[in-house]
Amino acid sequence: MRLAAVIVASALFMQNLDSTVVATALPAMAKVFDVSPVTMNIAITSYLVSLAAFIPASGWVADRYGARSVFRAAIIVFTLASVLCSLSQSLAMLVAARILQGLGGAMMVPVGRLLLLRRVGKANLVAAMSWLTMPALLGPVIGPPVGGFLVTTLSWHWIFDINIPIGIVGVLLVTRFIREDERTDPGQFDFVGQILAGIGMAGLIMGLSSFGRGALPPSEAVALTVMGALGALGYAIHARRHAHPLLDLSLMRIPTFAISVTAGSLFRIGIGAMPFLLPLMLQLGFGFTAFQSGLITFISAAGALVTKPVARPMLQKFGFRSVLSVNAAISAVVLGLSAAFRPDWPIIAIYAVLLIGGVFRSLQFTAYNTIAYADISPERMSGATSFYSTLQQLSITMGVTVGAAALAVSGAIAGKPHPRLTDFSVAFVTVALFMVPAALLALRLPASAGDEMSGHGTSRR
């Protein structure tokens, strides 16, 4: 179990690291390609759009061709696309390579999770999901300082080249240690569903991320968001009439899955804003360099490492319902404390808040990622992973959008063109408030929810 979890987690870490490390290299790449840094944002949006558009198909592809084969192929595609990104001689070549990279990432994340779910018994699922939680938490925090270091000391090409050895080792490990699973007949591919879901996800991701990064004029960002919302609505209508829809919305009738998805999405909106707001606050409000802010934000990633060995004991003692409700409330309070950060704070105090927040955040993600599959039957597991991954990607993007919107509104009310520390405080409080309903939703879980995985019922007896 540990070996399979580490192999999958390593591939997911590569994907999560790459999705954040590129931002720091955009100014350097803009000079090489002779375009403006704002134009270079297409290198990020093209990847996000490709990722969002293809994730819905991952479950069907895994059933049709085998999860192990698809996961290994996804690593190969992602690694080869990284090579093409590094070799790009123009912005058009880079965008094409990033789209290919997004295709690899779209298959790698949900199919990697599916591989683990099919190989790990429910009694070991909490420990396995602890490993998968770390890449999601470490990538966004480690990415900016790693990217800044590589671009400053070497060149922008290295932000893609670092994926090559990881990808090669990943393919070898999957081939050697993970056995092929049985293929199933998922039925005819839902092409209409793929088009509608692709338009919905691509429009929402691109539109919402544009609000956060300012990559597009507001009118175009609104148009894309509306297009995405219409695509999602069209898919919802289509899925109700299709016998085997690409994303099975009936999964939301399963209480443990539905609460994990809805509460987890609200929680991720708050957490998704953190990698966006904190570095900006430290650089614009505190006057720190990008590297200095990276060294501070990095400390929250240590929480993922601290939490891994304590996740199962905590869930065994208190159960999923208590942990998810109380932990979400604590996480909201700790995130809200970031609003009080000021330059005269002792650095050790900032470190303490970020470390504590990382601990509770990691435990919460481990619990969400585990309870989601507590009552999913084996034949619906692939559909559940693609559905879960789709909404996970969307909620993280919404976090950046909500944080950026709160920052902009606070500044506009004060009549200031540039964000002040008070504006960042408003933004942190706003995203923290999104996490409060997640605590209340968790209380709707049965007291015995997930006991088979946590051993909570056994501890009571």
Side-chain angles (χ1 to χ4, degrees), residues 97 129 142 173 231 268 274 286 372 439:
M129 286 301 171
I142 293 177
L173 291 176
R268 287 183 179 91
M274 188 73 168
F286 286 38

Side-chain angles (χ1 to χ4, degrees), residues 102-457:
L103 171 61
M107 296 294 122
M108 198 158 56
V109 175
V111 177
R113 182 182 286 120
L114 177 62
L115 264 177
L116 202 57
L117 288 168
R118 286 179 173 174
R119 281 157 178 77
V120 177
K122 288 190 175 182
N124 293 318
L125 196 54
V126 173
M129 286 301 171
S130 295
W131 286 99
L132 291 193
T133 299
M134 287 192 287
L137 295 171
L138 291 173
V141 179
I142 293 177
V146 168
F149 175 79
L150 292 175
V151 172
T152 302
T153 59
L154 298 171
S155 70
W156 65 266
H157 304 83
W158 280 91
I159 65 172
F160 300 110
D161 290 339
I162 59 175
N163 293 330
I164 298 173
I166 302 176
I168 292 173
V169 172
V171 170
L172 294 175
L173 291 176
V174 172
T175 303
R176 173 66 179 84
F177 294 108
I178 296 183
R179 68 183 186 277
E180 183 61 274
D181 52 354
E182 293 184 8
R183 301 180 185 183
T184 60
D185 182 10
Q188 188 175 4
F189 185 71
D190 182 11
F191 283 103
V192 174
Q194 171 61 53
I195 293 171
L196 290 173
I199 291 174
M201 283 298 295
L204 288 172
I205 294 289
M206 193 170 180
L208 293 173
S209 63
S210 295
F211 283 119
R213 294 188 174 91
L216 294 173
S219 58
E220 294 181 20
V222 170
L224 284 169
T225 304
V226 171
M227 181 188 73
L230 292 175
L233 178 61
Y235 177 81
I237 296 172
H238 164 79
R240 295 181 62 183
R241 301 174 179 176
H242 198 279
H244 301 287
L246 196 64
L247 295 174
D248 187 1
L249 302 184
S250 67
L251 287 165
M252 293 297 286
R253 298 172 189 163
I254 302 173
T256 47
F257 185 82
I259 291 175
S260 177
V261 167
T262 52
S265 295
L266 290 169
F267 190 84
R268 287 183 179 91
I269 288 175
I271 300 305
M274 188 73 168
F276 167 75
L277 290 175
L278 187 58
L280 280 180
M281 181 190 215
L282 293 174
Q283 293 176 50
L284 300 180
F286 286 38
F288 289 175
T289 65
F291 185 67
Q292 286 175 318
S293 70
L295 292 177
I296 293 176
T297 56
F298 174 79
I299 194 65
S300 63
L305 303 176
V306 173
T307 306
K308 194 187 78 63
V310 303
R312 182 172 173 78
M314 291 289 291
L315 290 168
Q316 185 176 29
K317 182 173 179 60
F318 299 106
F320 277 94
R321 186 176 70 175
S322 297
V323 168
L324 284 172
S325 58
V326 175
N327 199 64
I330 294 173
S331 297
V333 171
V334 175
L335 180 61
L337 279 177
S338 301
F341 287 170
R342 291 295 182 268
D344 58 354
W345 270 47
I347 197 68
I348 192 66
I350 295 177
Y351 278 153
V353 172
L354 295 178
L355 180 62
I356 293 170
V359 170
F360 286 105
R361 184 160 63 244
S362 178
L363 177 59
Q364 192 76 359
F365 282 142
T366 297
Y368 280 137
N369 293 340
T370 307
I371 195 64
Y373 306 101
D375 301 313
I376 302 294
S377 59
E379 61 271 14
R380 305 186 75 182
M381 196 65 77
S382 57
T385 56
S386 57
F387 190 1
Y388 193 84
S389 297
T390 298
L391 294 185
Q392 187 178 42
Q393 186 67 36
L394 180 61
S395 60
I396 292 173
T397 302
M398 287 184 64
V400 177
T401 304
V402 171
L407 202 62
V409 170
S410 178
I413 292 175
K416 301 293 182 181
H418 302 292
R420 304 158 301 154
L421 279 173
T422 52
D423 299 326
F424 284 104
S425 297
V426 170
F428 272 114
V429 171
T430 300
V431 296
L433 289 175
F434 271 82
M435 299 164 67
V436 175
L440 301 177
L441 283 170
L443 293 175
R444 298 177 61 184
L445 284 170
S448 60
D451 279 359
E452 184 180 353
M453 297 181 293
S454 66
H456 178 53

